[in-house]
Amino acid sequence: MISKGMNNKSENNKVNMKFRLDQDSLGKVKIPADAYYGAFTGRAINQYHVTGNKAHKNLIEAFVMIKRSAAVANMKTKAIDAKRGKAIVSACDKILSGKFTEQFVVDMINSGAGTAFNMNSNEVISNVALEILHKKKGQYEFLHPNDHVNMSQSSNDTYPTAMHVAILMNLKETIPAVEILIKSLSKKAKEFASFKKIGRTHLMDALPITLGSEFAAYTTSITKAKNNLVAAQKELQNVALGGTAVGNGANTPKGYRKIAIAELSKISKLKLKPEPDMQFSLQSKYPVANASGALRNLALEIGKIANDIRLMASGPIAGLAELGIPAVHAGSSIMPGKVNPSLAECMNMICFNIIGNDTAVSYAAQGGQFELNVMLPGMLKSVLESTDMLKNFLPIFSANLIDGLTANKQKLQENIENSPVIVTLLTPKIGYLKSAELFKESLKTGKTIRELVVSKKLMTNKEIDSLFR
């Protein structure tokens, strides 16, 4: 009954809604009267019901900055008159201030090469600019989405440029979040430096290490992964803007490309420069795939650490119980007092999704043909989703899990003393065969290697301690 009522209410709203007729190259389209998008967008929103999510805020901002930069370049090269050019710039400034963002309604995954979103941007900017010129929405004879807002551009060079800009903007927040994790791991490496523990290989007892050295190795792996992510930014700084349809700059005035990219670099506060080979920038998505791969490799390392923590914290009685984890919430709705490694589990799920996103990017990167890769919206969605998850959750993971880890010193020491594998440290003194006999005897009798060695007068406690050091 509730659903029916809601549907009736929705239908009533549609009946009462006012519309206008917008026209594009295919004919007239009925558009809500208060909408700033136009005919192309009206058609697109009826086709692309995919994720249910509208454009990422950084994609909107990137596109509007591109349109603004193009208008400035077109004015400077005399390709557009100052009246229209300034109206476009003013419209872009209004949108960049936070207004009209709800008008960017095309699904994150839309038409090949992102044409639908490019036109959504062109139409919104055009209609905002028309109002600035004291005209009505849809009076495109005064300022047209294609002829003026999209002047000297194509979806084929604007969307790839927007991809790079949006990803770079997200990485500005993602990389510091990774650095927070590195700092937390490094602090634990120092804190746990004196805590000896049994090492494990093949999940079986191995030679002793320190808990601190284990966390120091985690620090190294995340630092290396972060450095690769930082390096991936360099290729993303080369942008396709000015390449237009096939990378040869058709329909652009002389000097346009240099001016437009300089303006875009200035307004975005990013170190952008023209890609030397414009056809490459349309054909290949190597820079995006490279960044996605760096995110995947980072996820592999973080996921491994999260798994290790879950194992070391398992227990408190039947597991390893080497680490204590902070309780962020109750671990069970039925078992009182239970504490779970919930943040590590969440981190694992994030890492799995990042790996899946990279798989989608990899297929999309090789899925383009000839002069254009058209799989851009899907690639961008995947990379922005991966960076969003990392920048949002890594600070929480670091502060509420890593920083709160404690070491169970007694359990760590008991594991070393009780594990027969420490006989390996005695091998240089007593030989491999004798060590193997002691290993078997320890397992059979339950006596520790220390007890057996001392009782057989093979070594003293003091000598054994010196080997452990």
Side-chain angles (χ1 to χ4, degrees):
M1 292 295 292
I2 293 173
S3 176
K4 185 177 179 181
M6 289 176 67
N7 287 337
N8 287 339
K9 186 177 180 180
S10 177
E11 290 301 319
N12 289 335
N13 287 339
K14 287 182 180 179
V15 170
N16 296 327
M17 187 181 292
K18 293 181 179 180
F19 293 89
R20 71 173 191 269
L21 288 177
D22 254 32
Q23 184 156 349
D24 64 5
S25 60
L26 298 180
K28 292 182 179 181
V29 181
K30 191 163 75 170
I31 301 294
D34 60 351
Y36 283 83
Y37 56 81
F40 195 113
T41 305
R43 297 182 195 279
I45 58 178
N46 288 328
Q47 304 300 325
Y48 302 111
H49 294 272
V50 187
T51 67
N53 297 322
K54 295 179 184 178
H56 192 282
K57 63 182 180 64
N58 284 353
L59 176 60
I60 296 172
E61 191 170 340
F63 249 97
V64 175
M65 288 190 292
I66 288 167
K67 300 298 174 180
R68 187 189 192 282
S69 300
V72 171
N74 282 324
M75 282 191 287
K76 288 186 175 180
T77 57
K78 309 297 184 184
I80 194 172
D81 61 278
K83 184 178 180 180
R84 288 191 179 96
K86 288 179 179 179
I88 293 170
V89 169
S90 296
C92 290
D93 287 340
K94 282 192 173 188
I95 298 168
L96 291 172
S97 73
K99 298 177 181 178
F100 306 105
T101 54
E102 76 283 352
Q103 298 296 318
F104 293 80
V105 292
V106 173
D107 195 283
M108 193 65 191
I109 295 183
N110 54 85
S111 61
T115 303
F117 187 78
N118 181 38
M119 283 306 302
N120 189 171
S121 304
N122 289 333
E123 289 175 343
V124 172
I125 293 167
S126 178
N127 280 311
V128 174
L130 282 169
E131 288 191 342
I132 291 170
L133 294 172
H134 306 293
K135 304 297 180 183
K136 293 180 181 179
K137 300 184 193 74
Q139 288 189 301
Y140 299 134
E141 64 271 23
F142 296 102
L143 197 151
H144 198 278
N146 297 79
D147 295 336
H148 303 117
V149 181
N150 199 61
M151 181 182 284
S152 308
Q153 305 152 66
S154 164
S155 302
N156 299 356
D157 68 333
T158 56
Y159 203 99
T161 300
M163 287 178 76
H164 287 208
V165 171
I167 293 169
L168 285 168
M169 288 166 69
N170 250 26
L171 287 176
K172 270 189 171 183
E173 297 178 76
T174 305
I175 291 170
V178 178
E179 289 170 343
I180 289 171
L181 175 60
I182 291 169
K183 186 176 179 180
S184 291
L185 292 170
S186 181
K187 282 169 61 179
K188 285 298 164 183
K190 293 172 184 174
E191 181 184 333
F192 295 153
S194 63
F195 288 72
K196 299 183 185 71
K197 63 166 284 185
I198 198 74
R200 293 183 181 86
T201 58
H202 305 268
L203 291 179
M204 308 300 285
D205 295 2
L207 291 172
I209 57 172
T210 68
L211 188 60
S213 67
E214 201 162 31
F215 274 78
Y218 296 154
T219 306
T220 299
S221 69
I222 302 302
T223 301
K224 286 179 179 291
K226 185 213 80 171
N227 290 343
N228 285 336
L229 195 57
V230 170
Q233 294 178 110
K234 187 174 181 181
E235 287 289 343
L236 291 168
Q237 290 168 349
N238 292 345
V239 295
L241 191 60
T244 63
V246 291
N248 61 8
N251 293 354
T252 59
K254 186 177 180 180
Y256 162 83
R257 188 172 193 237
K258 184 178 179 180
I259 297 168
I261 293 175
E263 282 291 324
L264 182 58
S265 186
K266 180 181 176 182
I267 193 171
S268 67
K269 298 179 181 178
L270 297 170
K271 297 178 180 178
L272 305 176
K273 51 190 176 183
E275 166 55 50
D277 188 332
M278 290 194 293
Q279 281 190 257
F280 160 81
S281 66
L282 271 58
Q283 287 180 2
S284 173
K285 290 283 102 33
Y286 171 80
V288 177
N290 184 47
S292 179
L295 290 166
R296 177 205 62 219
N297 291 338
L298 173 63
L300 294 174
E301 296 302 318
I302 296 174
K304 193 270 183 192
I305 293 167
N307 281 332
D308 281 1
I309 290 171
R310 290 170 62 200
L311 286 171
M312 285 190 276
S314 61
I317 303 302
L320 299 182
E322 294 178 341
L323 285 178
I325 54 174
V328 294
H329 54 68
S332 172
S333 61
I334 190 173
M335 293 175 278
K338 197 169 189 291
V339 175
N340 294 336
S342 302
L343 297 184
E345 292 162 350
C346 182
M347 193 74 252
N348 276 140
M349 289 185 275
I350 288 169
C351 291
F352 300 156
N353 274 273
I354 292 171
I355 293 164
N357 283 339
D358 180 62
T359 301
V361 170
S362 299
Y363 276 104
Q366 63 82 42
Q369 296 84 33
F370 302 116
E371 275 59 65
L372 181 68
N373 186 308
V374 300
M375 310 299 176
L376 311 183
M379 296 178 76
L380 182 59
K381 173 197 170 287
S382 294
V383 177
L384 291 181
E385 185 176 88
S386 294
T387 48
D388 276 346
M389 288 188 289
L390 288 172
K391 71 186 179 70
N392 290 340
F393 191 70
L394 278 179
I396 296 169
F397 179 75
S398 303
N400 296 349
L401 179 67
I402 304 298
D403 289 351
L405 293 174
T406 56
N408 187 340
K409 188 174 183 180
Q410 181 180 345
K411 181 69 173 176
L412 293 171
Q413 188 60 39
E414 286 175 358
N415 285 343
I416 292 177
E417 289 289 339
N418 294 332
S419 177
V421 81
I422 65 168
V423 76
T424 305
L425 296 174
L426 311 183
T427 302
K429 296 285 186 182
I430 63 176
Y432 186 92
L433 291 178
K434 187 65 178 176
S435 296
E437 290 175 12
L438 289 172
F439 184 95
K440 294 173 186 176
E441 187 175 350
S442 175
L443 288 177
K444 185 176 180 180
T445 64
K447 293 181 179 180
T448 67
I449 294 295
R450 181 187 290 271
E451 290 171 333
L452 292 173
V453 169
V454 172
S455 67
K456 295 176 185 292
K457 298 182 178 179
L458 296 172
M459 294 179 72
T460 65
N461 271 312
K462 187 175 181 181
E463 288 172 323
I464 294 171
D465 288 339
S466 69
L467 289 176
F468 285 171
R469 283 196 293 273

